Coordinates of all heavy atoms in Angstrom, one line a residue:
M783 N 6.4 -21.9 14.8 CA 6.8 -20.6 14.4 C 5.9 -20.2 13.2 O 5.9 -20.9 12.2 CB 8.2 -20.5 14.1 CG 8.7 -19.2 13.6 SD 10.5 -19.2 13.2 CE 10.5 -18.4 11.7
K784 N 5.3 -19.0 13.2 CA 4.5 -18.6 12.1 C 5.4 -17.9 11.1 O 6.4 -17.2 11.4 CB 3.4 -17.6 12.6 CG 2.3 -18.2 13.3 CD 1.3 -17.1 13.6 CE 0.0 -17.7 14.3 NZ -1.0 -16.7 14.5
Q785 N 5.0 -18.0 9.8 CA 5.8 -17.4 8.7 C 4.8 -17.1 7.6 O 3.8 -17.8 7.4 CB 6.9 -18.4 8.3 CG 7.8 -17.8 7.2 CD 8.9 -18.8 6.9 OE1 8.8 -20.0 7.1 NE2 9.9 -18.2 6.3
I786 N 5.1 -16.1 6.8 CA 4.4 -15.8 5.6 C 5.3 -15.9 4.4 O 6.4 -15.3 4.4 CB 3.8 -14.3 5.7 CG1 2.8 -14.2 6.9 CG2 3.1 -14.0 4.4 CD1 2.4 -12.8 7.1
L787 N 4.9 -16.7 3.4 CA 5.6 -16.8 2.2 C 4.9 -16.1 1.1 O 3.7 -16.3 0.8 CB 5.7 -18.3 1.8 CG 6.3 -19.3 2.9 CD1 6.2 -20.7 2.4 CD2 7.7 -18.9 3.3
Y788 N 5.6 -15.1 0.6 CA 5.0 -14.2 -0.5 C 5.6 -14.6 -1.8 O 6.8 -14.3 -2.1 CB 5.2 -12.8 -0.1 CG 4.7 -11.8 -1.2 CD1 3.4 -11.7 -1.6 CD2 5.7 -11.0 -1.9 CE1 3.0 -10.8 -2.6 CE2 5.3 -10.2 -2.9 CZ 4.0 -10.1 -3.2 OH 3.6 -9.2 -4.2
F789 N 4.8 -15.2 -2.7 CA 5.3 -15.6 -4.0 C 4.9 -14.6 -5.0 O 3.7 -14.2 -5.1 CB 4.7 -17.0 -4.4 CG 5.1 -18.1 -3.6 CD1 4.5 -18.5 -2.4 CD2 6.2 -18.9 -4.0 CE1 4.9 -19.5 -1.6 CE2 6.7 -19.9 -3.2 CZ 6.0 -20.3 -2.0
S790 N 5.9 -14.1 -5.8 CA 5.6 -13.1 -6.8 C 6.5 -13.2 -8.0 O 7.4 -14.1 -8.0 CB 5.7 -11.7 -6.2 OG 7.0 -11.4 -5.9
G791 N 6.3 -12.4 -9.0 CA 7.2 -12.3 -10.2 C 7.5 -10.9 -10.5 O 6.6 -10.1 -10.4
T792 N 8.7 -10.6 -11.0 CA 9.0 -9.2 -11.4 C 8.2 -8.7 -12.5 O 8.0 -7.5 -12.7 CB 10.5 -9.1 -11.7 OG1 10.8 -10.0 -12.8 CG2 11.4 -9.4 -10.5
W793 N 7.7 -9.6 -13.4 CA 6.9 -9.3 -14.6 C 5.4 -9.1 -14.2 O 4.6 -8.7 -15.1 CB 7.0 -10.4 -15.6 CG 7.0 -11.7 -14.9 CD1 8.0 -12.5 -14.5 CD2 5.8 -12.5 -14.6 NE1 7.6 -13.7 -13.9 CE2 6.2 -13.7 -13.9 CE3 4.4 -12.2 -14.7 CZ2 5.3 -14.6 -13.5 CZ3 3.5 -13.2 -14.3 CH2 4.0 -14.4 -13.6
C794 N 5.0 -9.3 -13.0 CA 3.6 -9.4 -12.6 C 3.1 -8.0 -12.2 O 3.6 -7.5 -11.2 CB 3.4 -10.4 -11.5 SG 1.9 -10.4 -10.6
G795 N 2.1 -7.4 -12.9 CA 1.6 -6.1 -12.5 C 1.0 -6.1 -11.1 O 1.3 -5.2 -10.3
P796 N 0.0 -7.0 -10.8 CA -0.5 -7.0 -9.5 C 0.5 -7.2 -8.4 O 0.4 -6.6 -7.3 CB -1.5 -8.2 -9.5 CG -1.9 -8.3 -10.9 CD -0.7 -8.0 -11.7
C797 N 1.6 -7.9 -8.6 CA 2.7 -8.1 -7.7 C 3.4 -6.8 -7.4 O 3.7 -6.5 -6.2 CB 3.7 -9.1 -8.2 SG 3.1 -10.8 -8.5
K798 N 3.5 -6.0 -8.4 CA 4.2 -4.7 -8.2 C 3.3 -3.8 -7.4 O 3.9 -2.9 -6.6 CB 4.4 -4.0 -9.6 CG 5.5 -4.7 -10.4 CD 5.6 -4.1 -11.8 CE 6.6 -4.9 -12.7 NZ 6.7 -4.4 -14.0
M799 N 2.0 -3.9 -7.4 CA 1.1 -3.1 -6.6 C 1.1 -3.6 -5.2 O 1.0 -2.8 -4.2 CB -0.3 -3.2 -7.1 CG -0.6 -2.5 -8.4 SD -2.2 -2.8 -9.2 CE -3.2 -3.2 -7.8
F800 N 1.2 -4.9 -5.0 CA 1.1 -5.6 -3.7 C 2.4 -5.6 -2.9 O 2.3 -5.5 -1.6 CB 0.5 -7.0 -3.9 CG 0.1 -7.7 -2.6 CD1 -0.5 -7.0 -1.6 CD2 0.2 -9.1 -2.5 CE1 -1.0 -7.7 -0.5 CE2 -0.3 -9.7 -1.4 CZ -0.8 -9.0 -0.4
K801 N 3.5 -5.7 -3.5 CA 4.8 -5.8 -2.8 C 5.0 -4.7 -1.8 O 5.5 -5.0 -0.7 CB 5.9 -5.9 -3.8 CG 7.2 -6.3 -3.1 CD 8.4 -6.6 -4.1 CE 9.6 -7.0 -3.4 NZ 10.7 -7.3 -4.3
P802 N 4.8 -3.4 -2.1 CA 5.0 -2.4 -1.1 C 4.2 -2.6 0.2 O 4.7 -2.3 1.3 CB 4.6 -1.1 -1.8 CG 4.8 -1.4 -3.3 CD 4.4 -2.8 -3.4
K803 N 3.0 -3.1 0.1 CA 2.2 -3.4 1.3 C 2.9 -4.5 2.1 O 3.0 -4.4 3.3 CB 0.8 -3.9 0.9 CG -0.1 -2.8 0.3 CD -1.4 -3.4 0.0 CE -2.3 -2.5 -0.8 NZ -3.6 -3.1 -1.2
M804 N 3.4 -5.5 1.4 CA 4.0 -6.6 2.1 C 5.4 -6.2 2.7 O 5.7 -6.6 3.8 CB 4.3 -7.8 1.1 CG 3.0 -8.4 0.6 SD 1.9 -9.1 1.9 CE 2.8 -10.6 2.3
E805 N 6.1 -5.3 2.0 CA 7.3 -4.7 2.6 C 7.0 -3.9 3.9 O 7.8 -4.0 4.8 CB 8.0 -3.9 1.6 CG 8.6 -4.7 0.5 CD 9.2 -3.9 -0.7 OE1 8.8 -2.8 -0.9 OE2 10.1 -4.5 -1.4
E806 N 5.9 -3.2 3.9 CA 5.5 -2.4 5.1 C 5.2 -3.3 6.2 O 5.6 -3.1 7.4 CB 4.2 -1.6 4.8 CG 4.5 -0.3 4.0 CD 3.1 0.4 3.7 OE1 2.3 0.5 4.7 OE2 3.0 0.9 2.6
L807 N 4.5 -4.4 5.9 CA 4.2 -5.4 7.0 C 5.4 -6.0 7.5 O 5.5 -6.3 8.7 CB 3.2 -6.5 6.5 CG 1.8 -6.0 6.2 CD1 1.0 -7.0 5.4 CD2 1.1 -5.7 7.6
K808 N 6.4 -6.3 6.7 CA 7.7 -6.9 7.2 C 8.4 -5.9 8.1 O 8.9 -6.3 9.1 CB 8.6 -7.3 6.0 CG 9.8 -7.9 6.5 CD 10.6 -8.5 5.3 CE 11.9 -9.2 5.9 NZ 12.0 -10.6 5.5
L809 N 8.4 -4.6 7.7 CA 9.0 -3.6 8.5 C 8.3 -3.4 9.9 O 8.9 -3.1 10.9 CB 9.0 -2.2 7.8 CG 10.0 -2.1 6.7 CD1 9.8 -0.8 5.9 CD2 11.4 -2.2 7.2
E810 N 7.0 -3.8 9.9 CA 6.2 -3.7 11.1 C 6.4 -5.0 12.0 O 5.8 -5.1 13.1 CB 4.7 -3.5 10.8 CG 4.4 -2.2 10.2 CD 3.0 -2.0 9.7 OE1 2.1 -2.9 10.0 OE2 2.7 -1.1 8.9
G811 N 7.2 -5.9 11.5 CA 7.5 -7.1 12.3 C 7.0 -8.4 11.9 O 7.3 -9.4 12.5
L812 N 6.2 -8.5 10.8 CA 5.7 -9.8 10.3 C 6.8 -10.5 9.7 O 7.6 -10.0 8.9 CB 4.5 -9.6 9.4 CG 3.2 -9.7 10.0 CD1 2.9 -8.6 11.0 CD2 2.1 -9.7 9.0
P813 N 6.9 -11.9 9.9 CA 8.0 -12.7 9.3 C 7.6 -13.1 7.9 O 7.1 -14.2 7.6 CB 8.0 -13.9 10.3 CG 6.6 -14.0 10.7 CD 6.1 -12.6 10.8
I814 N 7.9 -12.2 7.0 CA 7.6 -12.4 5.6 C 8.8 -12.8 4.8 O 9.9 -12.1 4.9 CB 6.9 -11.2 4.9 CG1 5.6 -10.8 5.7 CG2 6.7 -11.4 3.4 CD1 5.0 -9.5 5.3
Q815 N 8.7 -13.9 4.0 CA 9.8 -14.3 3.1 C 9.3 -14.0 1.7 O 8.3 -14.5 1.3 CB 10.1 -15.8 3.3 CG 11.2 -16.3 2.4 CD 11.5 -17.8 2.6 OE1 11.0 -18.4 3.5 NE2 12.3 -18.3 1.7
F816 N 10.1 -13.2 1.0 CA 9.8 -12.9 -0.4 C 10.4 -13.9 -1.3 O 11.6 -14.2 -1.3 CB 10.3 -11.5 -0.8 CG 9.6 -10.4 0.0 CD1 10.0 -10.0 1.3 CD2 8.5 -9.8 -0.5 CE1 9.4 -9.0 2.0 CE2 7.8 -8.8 0.2 CZ 8.3 -8.4 1.4
I817 N 9.5 -14.5 -2.2 CA 10.0 -15.6 -3.1 C 9.6 -15.2 -4.5 O 8.4 -15.1 -4.9 CB 9.4 -16.9 -2.7 CG1 9.7 -17.3 -1.3 CG2 9.8 -18.0 -3.7 CD1 8.9 -18.3 -0.6
D818 N 10.6 -15.0 -5.4 CA 10.4 -14.7 -6.8 C 10.3 -16.1 -7.5 O 11.2 -16.9 -7.4 CB 11.6 -14.0 -7.3 CG 11.4 -13.6 -8.8 OD1 11.0 -14.5 -9.6 OD2 11.7 -12.5 -9.2
V819 N 9.1 -16.3 -8.1 CA 8.9 -17.7 -8.7 C 9.9 -18.0 -9.8 O 10.1 -19.2 -10.1 CB 7.4 -17.8 -9.2 CG1 6.5 -17.7 -8.0 CG2 7.1 -16.8 -10.2
D820 N 10.4 -17.0 -10.4 CA 11.4 -17.3 -11.5 C 12.8 -17.6 -10.9 O 13.6 -18.4 -11.5 CB 11.5 -16.1 -12.4 CG 10.2 -15.9 -13.2 OD1 9.6 -16.9 -13.6 OD2 9.8 -14.7 -13.3
Q821 N 13.1 -17.0 -9.8 CA 14.4 -17.2 -9.1 C 14.4 -18.5 -8.3 O 15.5 -19.1 -8.1 CB 14.8 -16.0 -8.3 CG 15.0 -14.7 -9.0 CD 16.1 -14.8 -10.0 OE1 17.2 -15.3 -9.7 NE2 15.9 -14.3 -11.2
Q822 N 13.2 -18.9 -7.7 CA 13.1 -20.0 -6.9 C 12.0 -20.9 -7.3 O 11.0 -21.2 -6.6 CB 12.9 -19.6 -5.4 CG 14.1 -18.8 -4.9 CD 13.8 -18.3 -3.5 OE1 13.2 -17.3 -3.3 NE2 14.3 -19.1 -2.5
P823 N 12.1 -21.5 -8.5 CA 11.0 -22.3 -9.0 C 10.7 -23.6 -8.2 O 9.6 -24.1 -8.1 CB 11.4 -22.7 -10.5 CG 12.9 -22.5 -10.4 CD 13.2 -21.4 -9.5
D824 N 11.8 -24.1 -7.5 CA 11.6 -25.2 -6.6 C 10.6 -24.9 -5.5 O 9.8 -25.8 -5.1 CB 12.9 -25.7 -6.1 CG 13.8 -24.6 -5.4 OD1 13.6 -23.4 -5.8 OD2 14.5 -25.0 -4.5
M825 N 10.7 -23.7 -4.9 CA 9.8 -23.4 -3.8 C 8.4 -23.2 -4.4 O 7.4 -23.6 -3.7 CB 10.3 -22.0 -3.2 CG 11.4 -22.2 -2.2 SD 11.0 -22.8 -0.6 CE 10.1 -21.5 0.1
A826 N 8.3 -22.6 -5.5 CA 7.0 -22.4 -6.1 C 6.3 -23.8 -6.4 O 5.2 -24.0 -6.2 CB 7.1 -21.6 -7.4
Q827 N 7.1 -24.7 -6.9 CA 6.6 -26.1 -7.2 C 6.2 -26.8 -5.9 O 5.2 -27.4 -5.8 CB 7.6 -26.9 -8.0 CG 7.1 -28.2 -8.4 CD 8.1 -29.0 -9.2 OE1 9.3 -28.6 -9.4 NE2 7.7 -30.1 -9.7
Q828 N 7.1 -26.6 -4.9 CA 6.8 -27.3 -3.6 C 5.5 -26.9 -3.0 O 4.8 -27.7 -2.4 CB 7.9 -27.0 -2.6 CG 7.7 -27.5 -1.2 CD 8.8 -27.1 -0.2 OE1 9.9 -26.6 -0.6 NE2 8.6 -27.2 1.0
Y829 N 5.1 -25.6 -3.2 CA 3.9 -25.1 -2.6 C 2.7 -25.1 -3.7 O 1.7 -24.6 -3.4 CB 4.1 -23.7 -2.0 CG 4.8 -23.8 -0.7 CD1 6.1 -23.8 -0.6 CD2 4.0 -24.0 0.5 CE1 6.8 -23.9 0.7 CE2 4.6 -24.1 1.7 CZ 6.0 -24.0 1.8 OH 6.6 -24.1 3.0
G830 N 3.0 -25.6 -4.9 CA 1.9 -25.7 -5.9 C 1.4 -24.3 -6.3 O 0.2 -24.1 -6.5
I831 N 2.3 -23.4 -6.5 CA 2.0 -22.0 -6.9 C 1.7 -22.0 -8.4 O 2.5 -22.3 -9.2 CB 3.1 -21.0 -6.5 CG1 3.4 -21.0 -5.0 CG2 2.7 -19.6 -7.0 CD1 2.3 -20.8 -4.1
R832 N 0.4 -21.6 -8.7 CA 0.0 -21.5 -10.1 C -0.3 -20.1 -10.5 O -0.3 -19.8 -11.7 CB -1.2 -22.4 -10.3 CG -1.0 -23.8 -10.0 CD -2.1 -24.7 -10.6 NE -2.0 -26.1 -10.2 CZ -1.1 -27.0 -10.4 NH1 -0.1 -26.6 -11.1 NH2 -1.2 -28.2 -10.0
N833 N -0.5 -19.2 -9.6 CA -0.8 -17.8 -9.8 C 0.0 -16.9 -8.9 O 0.2 -17.3 -7.8 CB -2.3 -17.5 -9.6 CG -3.2 -18.4 -10.4 OD1 -3.2 -18.3 -11.6 ND2 -4.0 -19.2 -9.8
V834 N 0.3 -15.7 -9.4 CA 1.0 -14.8 -8.5 C 0.2 -13.5 -8.6 O -0.4 -13.2 -9.6 CB 2.5 -14.6 -8.9 CG1 3.3 -15.8 -8.5 CG2 2.7 -14.2 -10.3
P835 N 0.2 -12.7 -7.5 CA 0.8 -13.0 -6.2 C 0.0 -14.0 -5.4 O -1.2 -14.0 -5.4 CB 0.8 -11.6 -5.5 CG -0.4 -10.9 -6.1 CD -0.4 -11.4 -7.5
T836 N 0.7 -14.9 -4.7 CA 0.1 -15.8 -3.8 C 0.8 -15.7 -2.4 O 2.0 -15.6 -2.4 CB 0.2 -17.3 -4.3 OG1 -0.5 -17.4 -5.5 CG2 -0.3 -18.3 -3.2
T837 N 0.0 -15.6 -1.4 CA 0.6 -15.5 0.0 C 0.2 -16.7 0.7 O -1.0 -17.0 0.8 CB 0.0 -14.2 0.7 OG1 0.2 -13.1 -0.2 CG2 0.6 -14.0 2.0
V838 N 1.2 -17.4 1.2 CA 1.0 -18.7 2.0 C 1.3 -18.5 3.4 O 2.4 -17.9 3.7 CB 1.8 -19.8 1.4 CG1 1.6 -21.1 2.2 CG2 1.5 -20.0 -0.1
F839 N 0.4 -18.8 4.3 CA 0.6 -18.7 5.8 C 1.0 -20.1 6.3 O 0.3 -21.1 6.1 CB -0.6 -18.2 6.4 CG -1.1 -16.8 5.9 CD1 -1.8 -16.7 4.8 CD2 -0.7 -15.7 6.6 CE1 -2.1 -15.5 4.3 CE2 -1.0 -14.4 6.2 CZ -1.8 -14.3 5.0
V840 N 2.1 -20.1 7.0 CA 2.7 -21.4 7.5 C 2.9 -21.3 9.0 O 3.3 -20.2 9.5 CB 4.1 -21.6 6.8 CG1 4.7 -22.9 7.4 CG2 3.9 -21.7 5.3
N841 N 2.5 -22.3 9.7 CA 2.7 -22.4 11.2 C 3.4 -23.7 11.5 O 2.9 -24.8 11.2 CB 1.4 -22.3 11.9 CG 1.6 -22.0 13.4 OD1 2.7 -22.0 13.9 ND2 0.5 -21.9 14.1
N842 N 4.6 -23.6 12.0 CA 5.4 -24.8 12.4 C 5.6 -25.7 11.2 O 5.4 -27.0 11.3 CB 4.8 -25.6 13.6 CG 4.9 -24.8 14.8 OD1 5.9 -24.1 15.1 ND2 3.9 -24.8 15.6
G843 N 5.8 -25.1 10.0 CA 6.0 -25.9 8.8 C 4.8 -26.4 8.1 O 4.9 -27.1 7.1
V844 N 3.6 -26.1 8.6 CA 2.3 -26.6 8.1 C 1.6 -25.4 7.5 O 1.4 -24.4 8.2 CB 1.5 -27.3 9.1 CG1 0.1 -27.8 8.5 CG2 2.2 -28.5 9.7
E845 N 1.1 -25.5 6.2 CA 0.3 -24.5 5.6 C -1.0 -24.4 6.3 O -1.7 -25.4 6.5 CB 0.1 -24.7 4.2 CG -0.7 -23.7 3.5 CD -0.9 -23.9 2.0 OE1 0.0 -24.5 1.3 OE2 -1.9 -23.4 1.5
T846 N -1.3 -23.1 6.8 CA -2.6 -22.9 7.5 C -3.6 -22.2 6.6 O -4.8 -22.3 6.9 CB -2.4 -22.2 8.8 OG1 -1.8 -20.9 8.5 CG2 -1.5 -23.0 9.8
N847 N -3.1 -21.4 5.6 CA -4.0 -20.7 4.8 C -3.2 -20.2 3.6 O -2.0 -20.2 3.6 CB -4.6 -19.5 5.6 CG -6.0 -19.1 5.1 OD1 -6.3 -19.3 3.9 ND2 -6.8 -18.5 6.0
R848 N -4.0 -19.7 2.6 CA -3.4 -19.1 1.4 C -4.4 -18.2 0.7 O -5.6 -18.5 0.8 CB -2.7 -20.1 0.4 CG -3.6 -20.7 -0.6 CD -2.9 -21.5 -1.7 NE -1.9 -22.4 -1.2 CZ -0.9 -22.8 -2.0 NH1 -0.8 -22.5 -3.3 NH2 0.0 -23.6 -1.5
V849 N -3.9 -17.1 0.2 CA -4.7 -16.2 -0.6 C -4.0 -15.9 -1.9 O -2.7 -15.8 -1.9 CB -5.0 -14.9 0.2 CG1 -5.9 -15.2 1.4 CG2 -3.7 -14.2 0.7
I850 N -4.8 -15.7 -2.9 CA -4.3 -15.4 -4.2 C -4.7 -14.0 -4.6 O -5.9 -13.7 -4.4 CB -4.7 -16.4 -5.3 CG1 -4.2 -17.8 -4.9 CG2 -4.3 -16.1 -6.7 CD1 -4.8 -19.0 -5.7
G851 N -3.8 -13.2 -5.1 CA -4.2 -11.9 -5.6 C -3.8 -10.8 -4.5 O -3.2 -11.1 -3.5
V852 N -4.1 -9.6 -4.9 CA -3.8 -8.4 -4.0 C -4.8 -8.3 -2.9 O -6.0 -8.4 -3.1 CB -3.8 -7.1 -4.9 CG1 -3.6 -5.9 -4.0 CG2 -2.8 -7.2 -6.0
K853 N -4.3 -8.2 -1.7 CA -5.2 -8.1 -0.5 C -4.8 -6.8 0.3 O -3.7 -6.3 0.1 CB -5.0 -9.3 0.4 CG -5.3 -10.6 -0.3 CD -6.8 -10.7 -0.7 CE -7.0 -12.0 -1.5 NZ -8.3 -11.9 -2.2
S854 N -5.6 -6.4 1.2 CA -5.3 -5.3 2.0 C -4.3 -5.7 3.2 O -4.3 -6.9 3.5 CB -6.6 -4.7 2.7 OG -7.1 -5.5 3.6
K855 N -3.7 -4.7 3.7 CA -2.8 -5.0 4.9 C -3.6 -5.6 6.0 O -3.1 -6.6 6.7 CB -2.1 -3.8 5.4 CG -0.9 -3.3 4.5 CD -0.3 -2.0 5.0 CE 0.1 -2.0 6.4 NZ 0.8 -0.8 6.8
E856 N -4.8 -5.1 6.2 CA -5.7 -5.6 7.3 C -6.0 -7.1 7.1 O -6.0 -7.9 8.0 CB -6.9 -4.8 7.4 CG -6.7 -3.4 7.8 CD -6.1 -2.4 6.8 OE1 -6.2 -2.8 5.5 OE2 -5.6 -1.4 7.1
E857 N -6.3 -7.5 5.8 CA -6.6 -8.9 5.5 C -5.4 -9.8 5.8 O -5.6 -10.9 6.4 CB -7.0 -9.1 4.1 CG -8.4 -8.6 3.7 CD -8.7 -8.7 2.3 OE1 -8.1 -7.8 1.5 OE2 -9.5 -9.5 1.9
I858 N -4.2 -9.4 5.4 CA -3.0 -10.2 5.7 C -2.8 -10.3 7.2 O -2.5 -11.4 7.7 CB -1.8 -9.5 5.0 CG1 -2.0 -9.5 3.5 CG2 -0.5 -10.3 5.4 CD1 -2.2 -10.9 2.8
L859 N -2.9 -9.2 7.9 CA -2.7 -9.2 9.4 C -3.8 -10.1 10.0 O -3.4 -10.9 10.9 CB -2.9 -7.8 10.0 CG -1.7 -6.9 10.0 CD1 -2.0 -5.5 10.3 CD2 -0.6 -7.5 11.0
S860 N -5.0 -10.1 9.6 CA -6.0 -10.9 10.1 C -5.7 -12.4 9.9 O -5.9 -13.2 10.8 CB -7.4 -10.6 9.5 OG -8.4 -11.4 9.9
L861 N -5.3 -12.7 8.7 CA -5.0 -14.2 8.4 C -3.8 -14.6 9.2 O -3.7 -15.7 9.6 CB -4.8 -14.3 6.9 CG -6.1 -14.2 6.1 CD1 -5.7 -14.1 4.6 CD2 -6.9 -15.5 6.3
Y862 N -2.8 -13.7 9.4 CA -1.6 -14.1 10.1 C -1.9 -14.3 11.6 O -1.4 -15.2 12.2 CB -0.6 -13.0 10.0 CG 0.7 -13.2 10.9 CD1 1.6 -14.2 10.5 CD2 0.9 -12.5 12.0 CE1 2.7 -14.4 11.2 CE2 2.0 -12.8 12.8 CZ 2.9 -13.7 12.4 OH 4.0 -14.0 13.2
N863 N -2.9 -13.6 12.1 CA -3.2 -13.7 13.5 C -4.2 -14.8 13.9 O -4.6 -15.0 15.0 CB -3.7 -12.3 14.1 CG -2.6 -11.3 14.1 OD1 -1.5 -11.6 14.6 ND2 -2.8 -10.1 13.8
M864 N -4.7 -15.5 12.8 CA -5.7 -16.6 13.1 C -5.0 -17.7 13.8 O -3.9 -18.0 13.7 CB -6.2 -17.1 11.7 CG -7.2 -16.1 11.1 SD -7.8 -16.7 9.6 CE -9.1 -17.8 10.1

């Protein structure tokens, strides 16, 4: 099962710009899990998150890709569909 883990922080300027795009993608049907690094530090540590926003692509529990920073909706869709 494919999943997208979106790591962000409420204090992060780029995260505030990127989150609406990720929310749109979720409404379009992508399985996105929003993770606040301050609220879920264990998840951030488990995935070695050092910068936010970070988007981690997972397939059957295995990380297949990750991107750091703000990306276009098209880039996220492309990586998800790989």
Side-chain angles (χ1 to χ4, degrees):
M783 177 180 136
K784 287 185 176 182
Q785 186 179 20
I786 299 172
L787 306 176
Y788 172 66
F789 292 88
S790 65
T792 56
W793 43 265
C794 167
C797 299
K798 291 176 186 176
M799 290 173 24
F800 192 33
K801 188 172 183 179
K803 291 180 190 177
M804 296 300 282
E805 288 172 336
E806 283 180 40
L807 287 167
K808 183 169 180 127
L809 287 174
E810 292 171 15
L812 264 64
I814 299 172
Q815 179 180 349
F816 293 87
I817 301 161
D818 182 316
V819 295
D820 296 317
Q821 298 294 318
Q822 295 177 277
D824 53 329
M825 283 283 288
Q827 184 176 9
Q828 177 184 342
Y829 282 91
I831 303 302
R832 301 196 190 291
N833 302 295
V834 289
T836 295
T837 307
V838 178
F839 298 82
V840 178
N841 191 357
N842 293 320
V844 177
E845 181 178 332
T846 57
N847 209 334
R848 86 169 43 201
V849 291
I850 298 170
V852 176
K853 303 297 176 195
S854 70
K855 283 176 58 176
E856 292 77 19
E857 287 175 285
I858 298 299
L859 275 169
S860 175
L861 289 166
Y862 176 73
N863 290 319
M864 288 180 78

